[in-house]
């Protein structure tokens, strides 16, 4: 539907969640869940992007819990934060709570939320702002 559009964010529907949360072949995948109306999200995204640059085995994926219909605002915010080159998704499902559950059954929908999935299949979720201690746990 949006595959040939000029914006970077791509739609995420229920059928795409399985691939998103699959364990990576090596290192770890960090899924940064955020929202346009979240006060702490941009700070988290910037910290995770810096962490990824310092630890090349981290596969960072940004997921806006906002509707893909807001793609222009999402793209603008990511570009402003210097994150336009990081893979990003936005919700494209009529039931966002369902996507929340499929991504992380332990998540209540609050943002920011950071989900770390390691190659061995282990997962860890962090709600709220990432401090130095939490960032150190992500980059094992």
């Amino acid at each position: 539907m949006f595959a040939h559009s000029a914006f970077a964010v791509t739609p995420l529907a229920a059928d795409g969640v399985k691939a998103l949360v699959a364990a990576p072949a090596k290192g770890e995948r960090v899924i940064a869940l955020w929202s346009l109306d979240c006060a702490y999200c941009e700070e988290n995204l910037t910290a995770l992007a810096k962490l990824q640059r310092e630890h090349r085995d981290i596969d960072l994926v940004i997921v806006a819990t906002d509707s893909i219909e807001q793609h222009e605002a999402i793209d603008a915010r990511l570009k402003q934060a210097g994150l336009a080159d990081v893979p990003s998704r936005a919700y494209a499902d009529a039931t966002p709570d369902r996507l929340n559950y499929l991504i992380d059954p332990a998540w209540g929908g609050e943002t920011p939320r950071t989900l770390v999935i390691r190659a061995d299949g282990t997962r860890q979720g962090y709600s709220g702002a990432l401090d130095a201690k939490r960032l150190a746990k992500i980059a094992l």
Side-chain angles (χ1 to χ4, degrees):
M1 177 166 148
F2 295 100
H4 296 91
S5 297
F7 59 91
V9 67
T10 59
L12 176 65
D15 63 355
V17 172
K18 185 176 180 180
L20 175 70
V21 299
K26 62 178 182 159
E28 55 195 18
R29 175 170 300 125
V30 176
I31 302 171
L33 296 137
W34 72 290
S35 175
L36 288 168
D37 63 356
C38 169
Y40 301 102
C41 289
E42 286 182 47
E43 184 179 322
N44 263 22
L45 294 174
T46 302
L48 288 168
K50 181 177 186 272
L51 186 71
Q52 180 195 36
R53 286 190 299 274
E54 294 169 357
H55 300 274
R56 293 292 179 187
D57 59 339
I58 293 176
D59 174 25
L60 178 61
V61 180
I62 299 171
V63 178
T65 59
D66 305 290
S67 169
I68 190 68
E69 298 299 324
Q70 295 179 283
H71 62 85
E72 291 175 354
I74 295 167
D75 279 340
R77 189 75 59 86
L78 292 174
K79 184 177 180 181
Q80 181 181 20
L83 300 168
D85 61 338
V86 177
S88 60
R89 313 278 186 275
Y91 281 17
D93 198 287
T95 53
D97 289 338
R98 178 175 178 231
L99 287 181
N100 292 353
Y101 181 79
L102 291 172
I103 292 169
D104 184 356
W107 177 38
E110 67 283 351
T111 55
R113 175 77 170 173
T114 306
L115 180 62
V116 180
I117 305 168
R118 294 193 169 78
D120 65 5
T122 59
R123 302 169 124 209
Q124 181 65 48
Y126 302 94
S127 289
L130 294 171
D131 57 18
K133 184 177 177 183
R134 284 182 169 181
L135 285 168
K137 287 182 181 180
I138 292 171
L140 293 177

